[in-house]
Amino acid sequence: MTRTNDTSAFPSINSSAARHRHRVNWHEAAACAIEIELRDYADLLQFLTEYILGRNSYRIDLLVIRKVSDCTIPKNIARIFRAYNIFELKGIHSSLTANAYYKTIGYAGILVDQLSNAGSERYTSLDVSITFLTFRYPRKLMKHLTVERYLTVEKTSKGVYHISIETFDVQIIVTHELPPEDNLYLCCMTNDLKDRGLIKRLTDDYTSHQGQDVYRKYMNQLAAANMKTEGESPMICEGILNLCGTSSEEIIAKTKKESDDYYLPKIDELTAANEQLASSVKLLSSQLVHLQELLRQNNISFD
């Protein structure tokens, strides 16, 4: 039964670019790249970024919903797709750890429970897939999965690793290993974009789609990530810069705004959590002092 489901000349960039490079929103760039890679199946898919699980503060980086359950998505990064597809996205400076792996497994379980409680239909782990997108091959995690948990890791295609006998259907995508002919936007997601052939292909493709918001967001992040200070080796093609804005200052301003929109709410959440923790520590310290005083009054050793 078919089921329906809910970036010959390079510019010199001033030093302000370097101060903002660490604020590149790789999560946004990756989410946009995935949506672009799957554009041929846009009518079959729905993309939800920063998806919040129920009333909890848990967030899924990207949730891709397959609108029709019996449709086939033959793209290399989507062959394991189920009805609901979770993406855990890692920036180029982050590593995929066992903690992140199991956290996402837990999120998938919460999602199944949430879906089942939302309606009359019953959902299971068979309705959810998990994809981890990482720049580097996660050697420690792979060793843990194969040696300690006896799971099977199969390289199904360049850069795509499938984890067998797991609770959910799981794959790990290493963007650095993906074939550019199949995954142009994911392959270009780096702060060291030197390949002129890739740059030309990217600019040619972007020119045809630059009116679409998802392409603009991706290219803004990519352009900002590849800007270098004066004296460093130039990495960003003038053609890309001109496509994204008329000057490096405009690119920096756009990227700073989009990064602030992403990072500042997270900073606020952490600040609130730290304030609550400090209050709890203060209360516990006060209670400890009171307990010590009671023990002293009754000639009982605290040790």
Side-chain angles (χ1 to χ4, degrees), residues 41-301:
Y41 314 98
D43 293 340
L44 304 175
L45 303 171
Q46 180 182 5
F47 299 83
L48 302 175
T49 58
E50 295 291 322
Y51 181 81
I52 300 176
L53 288 171
R55 298 179 181 178
N56 300 301
S57 59
Y58 307 134
R59 293 173 183 261
I60 294 174
D61 291 337
L62 175 65
L63 179 64
V64 181
I65 301 174
R66 197 173 61 176
K67 297 178 182 179
V68 182
S69 61
D70 61 355
C71 66
T72 301
I73 311 292
K75 186 76 173 180
N76 62 338
I77 64 172
R79 288 176 184 144
I80 71 166
F81 270 17
R82 305 285 182 158
Y84 293 85
N85 307 281
I86 294 174
F87 279 80
E88 171 75 7
L89 309 174
K90 293 298 178 182
I92 64 172
H93 302 298
S94 301
S95 299
L96 176 56
T97 64
N99 286 340
Y101 181 88
Y102 290 116
K103 176 201 73 174
T104 309
I105 295 285
Y107 284 3
I110 295 173
L111 178 63
V112 170
D113 184 65
Q114 179 177 301
L115 292 169
S116 296
N117 292 332
S120 58
E121 250 185 301
R122 189 68 183 170
Y123 290 86
T124 71
S125 61
L126 297 177
D127 296 303
V128 177
S129 79
I130 301 174
T131 298
F132 296 91
L133 191 77
T134 180
F135 182 76
R136 300 177 182 86
Y137 181 84
R139 299 187 182 279
K140 289 184 179 180
L141 174 62
M142 293 299 202
K143 182 178 180 180
H144 163 74
L145 296 176
T146 56
V147 176
E148 297 181 31
R149 290 196 56 206
Y150 305 103
L151 300 181
T152 301
V153 177
E154 178 187 3
K155 187 175 183 178
T156 56
S157 61
K158 289 183 179 179
V160 181
Y161 300 84
H162 183 256
I163 314 299
S164 299
I165 330 175
E166 184 56 276
T167 306
F168 297 88
D169 216 350
V170 178
Q171 67 179 358
I172 296 175
I173 297 177
V174 182
T175 58
H176 189 62
E177 298 180 6
L178 289 171
E181 60 272 17
D182 294 329
N183 308 105
L184 176 63
Y185 282 79
L186 285 172
C187 289
C188 289
M189 203 176 70
T190 174
N191 61 353
D192 192 26
L193 189 57
K194 297 178 180 179
D195 191 312
R196 292 180 180 271
L198 283 182
I199 292 173
K200 184 180 186 307
R201 286 183 56 200
L202 189 65
T203 52
D204 289 346
D205 189 78
Y206 177 74
T207 302
S208 303
H209 302 91
Q210 57 184 313
Q212 300 179 38
D213 193 52
V214 64
Y215 289 84
R216 179 188 59 81
K217 287 182 177 180
Y218 171 89
M219 200 65 80
N220 280 347
Q221 300 298 339
L222 185 63
N226 283 272
M227 287 179 182
K228 303 296 180 180
T229 59
E230 189 173 358
E232 295 185 45
S233 299
M235 302 294 180
I236 185 68
C237 175
E238 185 178 13
I240 293 181
L241 187 66
N242 291 336
L243 285 172
C244 298
T246 58
S247 68
S248 60
E249 288 75 15
E250 287 185 13
I251 293 297
I252 294 168
K254 289 178 182 178
T255 306
K256 182 178 184 302
K257 181 183 183 306
E258 293 177 1
S259 296
D260 285 348
D261 290 343
Y262 174 79
Y263 287 109
L264 291 182
K266 292 185 176 293
I267 293 173
D268 291 340
E269 289 179 11
L270 289 173
T271 300
N274 286 337
E275 289 176 351
Q276 184 177 2
L277 179 61
S279 177
S280 299
V281 170
K282 183 177 180 181
L283 177 60
L284 289 172
S285 298
S286 175
Q287 292 174 342
L288 178 60
V289 170
H290 179 63
L291 176 61
Q292 289 175 321
E293 178 61 22
L294 289 175
L295 293 174
R296 187 190 64 78
Q297 292 175 3
N298 291 276
N299 297 318
I300 300 175
S301 173

